[in-house]
Amino acid sequence: MIFESELGETREVDTFGRWHYANGKVILFGEHAVVYGVEAIAAAMPNAVRACIASRSGIDADVSRLTIPSWGVDIHLNAERADSEGAESLLINMCLLIVRELDVGHDQDDRHFHLKIESELPPASGMGASAAIAVASIKALSEYFGRTLTLEQINTLALRCEEIAHGTPSGLDNTLATYGGVLRFKKMEGGMPSVFEPIALARPLTLLVTHSGKKGYTAETVARVRRNKEQFPEKHLALFARVADISARGRAALEVGDESLFAVLLNENQQCLRELGVSCDEIERVLTIAVCAGAEGVKLTGSGDGGALIIAPGRAVDAVQTKLRDEGLMCFQLNIGGCS
Ligand code: PMV
């Protein structure tokens, strides 16, 4: 018989069903401004997170369990622990919300599961990990509870999970996690559903994704921008108007395949993000390394103050990738707009 150690105990290993997938994302243009109704452009990182599920068995089978091995997460989904501080309580609350929504008509204490998540995305990286975990979990749990959800229902429930994680999310991350592709996305006012649409790129585009080495906390950064906007409304409205213009020109550049303009617009968007106060020394250091190695355009992606950067490397794909890796930074290629 196979055994493993969990939470200091030894028990039988659960038998898992099939994997359910969700996408990560990079925001090409418009983070933060998208929260205030500016159209953003974002691209999925396909199937970066997956979830599978098993019915509990063994000696502690009277409680559900969530594991994310690559994040070192191994927790019991107890309602009593949902009030504790930190990332674990966010995950617990997210799972409890999903179960409440899906396990309608049953006694929830009856059915215990082990939800296992594999994530290629680091936490607090600006790559949409929390939304992807929500979507993959919803897919796995809906099958487990015998429910069939439309993509729209998955997306709506994932947005509620994002509200637990981030407070006032635009809805962009869960939309990319659910639908994938390269999308234009606009949050609507007054509780209206967001609108989004795939963008047809004239030709596939190779980007590089790297990391500043510092964690970026979305809820904090979004709240900081909100406070600053309340204090300096005109400055922020002017910045968001600039981002709206960049985002519109960025979409057009993708649609006609103008890679040089695309790279210039990344740099312009990064300048707006600096003026918004969401860049940081760690981001600027990595940006400088990439530019010195020949990158044409670089910006932070996601909420900033840490987290990931996206790079339009121009002809210097290999040189930029090698230089960043020589500096000990993770760096991978993301090909967008292909027929995946
Ligand atoms: O850091 P991430 O991956 O959660 O991205 C946040 C993007 C923001 O525009 C800053 C917030 C949002 O909800 O769109």
Side-chain angles (χ1 to χ4, degrees):
M1 199 174 294
I2 308 165
F3 288 89
E4 69 176 356
S5 181
E6 175 248 354
L7 299 170
E9 299 156 358
T10 303
R11 60 167 191 75
E12 284 176 70
V13 171
D14 300 321
T15 306
F16 287 92
R18 67 189 176 111
W19 289 107
H20 298 263
Y21 290 83
N23 311 298
K25 65 96 191 44
V26 285
I27 299 178
L28 305 177
F29 301 106
E31 49 273 272
H32 288 289
V34 67
V35 174
Y36 301 94
V38 169
E39 180 174 297
I41 311 296
M45 290 193 264
N47 301 330
V49 168
R50 59 185 191 163
C52 64
I53 201 151
S55 291
R56 293 305 309 275
S57 57
I59 59 172
D60 64 338
D62 56 346
V63 62
S64 293
R65 178 184 175 202
L66 170 69
T67 52
I68 313 177
S70 61
W71 290 14
V73 169
D74 187 341
I75 46 180
H76 283 161
L77 299 173
N78 291 334
E80 303 83 68
R81 295 188 58 196
D83 291 336
S84 59
E85 293 286 304
E88 289 197 350
S89 93
L90 296 179
L91 289 166
I92 293 170
N93 278 301
M94 185 194 80
C95 288
L96 293 178
L97 169 67
I98 297 170
V99 171
R100 265 199 314 277
E101 291 299 312
L102 295 178
D103 193 19
V104 179
H106 291 98
D107 177 355
Q108 284 163 22
D109 286 340
D110 264 4
R111 312 178 71 183
H112 298 290
F113 55 82
H114 176 179
L115 177 63
K116 181 165 76 176
I117 301 206
E118 289 188 352
S119 174
E120 292 171 19
L121 309 173
S125 62
M127 296 191 245
S130 63
I133 285 176
V135 167
S137 303
I138 293 165
K139 288 180 175 175
L141 284 163
S142 55
E143 186 177 79
Y144 178 72
F145 289 122
R147 300 279 309 275
T148 306
L149 300 190
T150 62
L151 288 180
E152 193 181 344
Q153 288 170 318
I154 292 170
N155 194 29
T156 303
L157 184 49
L159 174 61
R160 292 179 58 199
C161 295
E162 282 288 271
E163 284 164 356
I164 291 174
H166 296 157
T168 56
S170 63
L172 174 71
D173 286 17
N174 48 281
T175 302
L176 265 293
T178 305
Y179 293 94
V182 183
L183 300 182
R184 53 191 294 206
F185 174 94
K186 189 168 164 62
K187 179 186 172 191
M188 305 304 281
E189 290 305 313
M192 298 286 288
S194 305
V195 291
F196 59 93
E197 191 178 56
I199 297 175
L201 273 67
R203 62 183 72 95
L205 182 63
T206 297
L207 302 173
L208 295 175
V209 180
T210 187
H211 200 283
S212 62
K214 180 187 178 192
K215 285 187 174 175
Y217 295 101
T218 307
E220 281 171 28
T221 316
V222 169
R224 177 147 53 89
V225 170
R226 187 177 299 279
R227 281 195 304 276
N228 291 343
K229 177 176 174 289
E230 276 159 18
Q231 209 178 351
F232 305 105
E234 280 171 23
K235 171 189 164 184
H236 285 75
L237 291 178
L239 272 172
F240 294 155
R242 274 166 59 195
V243 174
D245 178 60
I246 291 166
S247 185
R249 289 192 290 143
R251 171 164 61 82
L254 290 170
E255 286 169 345
V256 300
D258 188 340
E259 290 184 26
S260 303
L261 178 57
F262 174 80
V264 167
L265 292 167
L266 284 188
N267 295 331
E268 284 186 21
N269 198 158
Q270 172 63 16
Q271 180 53 30
C272 294
L273 290 161
R274 280 185 195 112
E275 291 176 40
L276 264 183
V278 297
S279 194
C280 61
D281 291 348
E282 290 83 353
I283 288 171
E284 295 298 332
R285 184 182 85 85
V286 176
L287 181 149
T288 304
I289 294 168
V291 169
C292 290
E296 290 182 359
V298 190
K299 70 179 267 296
L300 69 86
T301 183
S303 52
D305 198 23
L309 297 87
I310 48 162
I311 302 171
R315 291 170 191 275
V317 181
D318 292 339
V320 174
Q321 198 162 359
T322 304
K323 183 68 189 164
L324 289 168
R325 286 184 176 163
D326 286 352
E327 294 284 335
L329 297 160
M330 68 87 127
C331 181
F332 61 87
Q333 277 188 32
L334 177 66
N335 299 308
I336 64 168
C339 46
S340 61

Short mmCIF file of all heavy atoms in Angstrom, two decimals, residues 62 64 99-100 102-113 144-145:
data_model
loop_
_atom_site.label_atom_id
_atom_site.label_comp_id
_atom_site.label_asym_id
_atom_site.label_seq_id
_atom_site.Cartn_x
_atom_site.Cartn_y
_atom_site.Cartn_z
N ASP A 62 -12.30 13.01 7.16
CA ASP A 62 -13.49 13.76 7.54
C ASP A 62 -13.31 15.25 7.33
O ASP A 62 -14.05 16.07 7.87
CB ASP A 62 -13.85 13.46 9.00
CG ASP A 62 -12.68 13.76 9.92
OD1 ASP A 62 -11.55 13.94 9.41
OD2 ASP A 62 -12.90 13.84 11.14
N SER A 64 -11.92 18.21 4.11
CA SER A 64 -11.37 18.40 2.77
C SER A 64 -9.98 19.02 2.86
O SER A 64 -9.63 19.67 3.84
CB SER A 64 -12.30 19.28 1.94
OG SER A 64 -13.50 18.60 1.69
N VAL A 99 -17.46 25.62 -3.10
CA VAL A 99 -18.25 24.47 -2.64
C VAL A 99 -19.68 24.90 -2.32
O VAL A 99 -20.65 24.25 -2.69
CB VAL A 99 -17.57 23.82 -1.42
CG1 VAL A 99 -18.48 22.77 -0.79
CG2 VAL A 99 -16.24 23.19 -1.83
N ARG A 100 -19.81 26.05 -1.63
CA ARG A 100 -21.17 26.54 -1.30
C ARG A 100 -22.01 26.72 -2.57
O ARG A 100 -23.18 26.41 -2.61
CB ARG A 100 -21.08 27.90 -0.58
CG ARG A 100 -21.11 27.81 0.91
CD ARG A 100 -21.48 29.13 1.57
NE ARG A 100 -20.81 30.31 1.05
CZ ARG A 100 -19.60 30.72 1.42
NH1 ARG A 100 -18.92 30.02 2.32
NH2 ARG A 100 -19.07 31.81 0.93
N LEU A 102 -21.56 25.25 -5.53
CA LEU A 102 -21.70 24.07 -6.39
C LEU A 102 -22.42 22.91 -5.72
O LEU A 102 -23.12 22.15 -6.38
CB LEU A 102 -20.33 23.58 -6.87
CG LEU A 102 -19.57 24.54 -7.77
CD1 LEU A 102 -18.21 23.95 -8.12
CD2 LEU A 102 -20.35 24.82 -9.05
N ASP A 103 -22.24 22.79 -4.41
CA ASP A 103 -22.76 21.60 -3.73
C ASP A 103 -24.15 21.89 -3.18
O ASP A 103 -24.47 21.60 -2.04
CB ASP A 103 -21.80 21.18 -2.62
CG ASP A 103 -22.13 19.79 -2.10
OD1 ASP A 103 -22.82 19.05 -2.81
OD2 ASP A 103 -21.69 19.46 -0.99
N VAL A 104 -24.99 22.48 -4.04
CA VAL A 104 -26.32 22.90 -3.61
C VAL A 104 -27.17 21.68 -3.27
O VAL A 104 -27.15 20.69 -4.00
CB VAL A 104 -27.00 23.71 -4.73
CG1 VAL A 104 -28.39 24.15 -4.32
CG2 VAL A 104 -26.14 24.92 -5.08
N GLY A 105 -27.89 21.76 -2.16
CA GLY A 105 -28.83 20.69 -1.83
C GLY A 105 -28.21 19.52 -1.09
O GLY A 105 -28.88 18.54 -0.81
N HIS A 106 -26.91 19.61 -0.77
CA HIS A 106 -26.29 18.52 -0.01
C HIS A 106 -25.81 19.06 1.33
O HIS A 106 -25.59 20.26 1.49
CB HIS A 106 -25.07 17.95 -0.74
CG HIS A 106 -25.44 17.21 -1.97
ND1 HIS A 106 -25.39 17.76 -3.22
CD2 HIS A 106 -25.89 15.95 -2.13
CE1 HIS A 106 -25.78 16.89 -4.11
NE2 HIS A 106 -26.09 15.77 -3.48
N ASP A 107 -25.60 18.14 2.24
CA ASP A 107 -24.96 18.51 3.49
C ASP A 107 -23.46 18.56 3.22
O ASP A 107 -22.84 17.55 2.94
CB ASP A 107 -25.28 17.45 4.55
CG ASP A 107 -24.57 17.77 5.85
OD1 ASP A 107 -23.79 18.73 5.87
OD2 ASP A 107 -24.82 17.05 6.83
N GLN A 108 -22.90 19.78 3.28
CA GLN A 108 -21.50 19.92 2.86
C GLN A 108 -20.53 19.16 3.75
O GLN A 108 -19.41 18.90 3.36
CB GLN A 108 -21.12 21.40 2.80
CG GLN A 108 -21.72 22.06 1.56
CD GLN A 108 -21.74 23.55 1.64
OE1 GLN A 108 -20.97 24.13 2.39
NE2 GLN A 108 -22.61 24.17 0.88
N ASP A 109 -20.98 18.83 4.97
CA ASP A 109 -20.08 18.07 5.84
C ASP A 109 -19.95 16.61 5.41
O ASP A 109 -19.17 15.86 5.94
CB ASP A 109 -20.55 18.16 7.29
CG ASP A 109 -20.25 19.53 7.86
OD1 ASP A 109 -19.39 20.21 7.28
OD2 ASP A 109 -20.90 19.92 8.84
N ASP A 110 -20.80 16.23 4.45
CA ASP A 110 -20.84 14.83 4.03
C ASP A 110 -19.75 14.45 3.04
O ASP A 110 -19.38 13.29 2.95
CB ASP A 110 -22.17 14.60 3.27
CG ASP A 110 -23.20 14.04 4.20
OD1 ASP A 110 -22.89 13.92 5.38
OD2 ASP A 110 -24.30 13.75 3.71
N ARG A 111 -19.33 15.41 2.23
CA ARG A 111 -18.53 15.07 1.06
C ARG A 111 -17.18 15.76 1.15
O ARG A 111 -17.08 16.97 1.02
CB ARG A 111 -19.27 15.52 -0.20
CG ARG A 111 -20.71 15.10 -0.18
CD ARG A 111 -21.46 15.57 -1.38
NE ARG A 111 -21.03 14.83 -2.55
CZ ARG A 111 -21.48 15.07 -3.78
NH1 ARG A 111 -22.32 16.04 -4.00
NH2 ARG A 111 -21.07 14.34 -4.79
N HIS A 112 -16.18 14.96 1.36
CA HIS A 112 -14.85 15.54 1.55
C HIS A 112 -13.94 15.12 0.41
O HIS A 112 -14.00 13.99 -0.06
CB HIS A 112 -14.28 15.12 2.90
CG HIS A 112 -15.14 15.62 4.02
ND1 HIS A 112 -15.22 16.96 4.34
CD2 HIS A 112 -16.01 14.99 4.83
CE1 HIS A 112 -16.08 17.11 5.32
NE2 HIS A 112 -16.59 15.94 5.63
N PHE A 113 -13.14 16.08 -0.02
CA PHE A 113 -12.32 15.86 -1.21
C PHE A 113 -10.90 16.34 -0.95
O PHE A 113 -10.63 17.07 0.01
CB PHE A 113 -12.93 16.62 -2.40
CG PHE A 113 -13.11 18.09 -2.13
CD1 PHE A 113 -12.07 18.99 -2.27
CD2 PHE A 113 -14.35 18.57 -1.70
CE1 PHE A 113 -12.24 20.34 -2.00
CE2 PHE A 113 -14.53 19.93 -1.42
CZ PHE A 113 -13.46 20.81 -1.57
N TYR A 144 -16.80 17.16 -9.82
CA TYR A 144 -16.91 16.34 -8.61
C TYR A 144 -18.33 16.35 -8.05
O TYR A 144 -18.87 15.34 -7.61
CB TYR A 144 -15.91 16.86 -7.58
CG TYR A 144 -15.93 16.15 -6.26
CD1 TYR A 144 -15.43 14.86 -6.14
CD2 TYR A 144 -16.44 16.77 -5.13
CE1 TYR A 144 -15.46 14.20 -4.92
CE2 TYR A 144 -16.47 16.13 -3.90
CZ TYR A 144 -15.98 14.84 -3.81
OH TYR A 144 -16.00 14.19 -2.60
N PHE A 145 -18.96 17.54 -8.09
CA PHE A 145 -20.32 17.66 -7.55
C PHE A 145 -21.40 17.39 -8.60
O PHE A 145 -22.59 17.66 -8.38
CB PHE A 145 -20.53 19.05 -6.94
CG PHE A 145 -19.77 19.26 -5.65
CD1 PHE A 145 -18.86 20.28 -5.53
CD2 PHE A 145 -19.97 18.41 -4.58
CE1 PHE A 145 -18.15 20.48 -4.34
CE2 PHE A 145 -19.27 18.59 -3.38
CZ PHE A 145 -18.37 19.63 -3.27
#
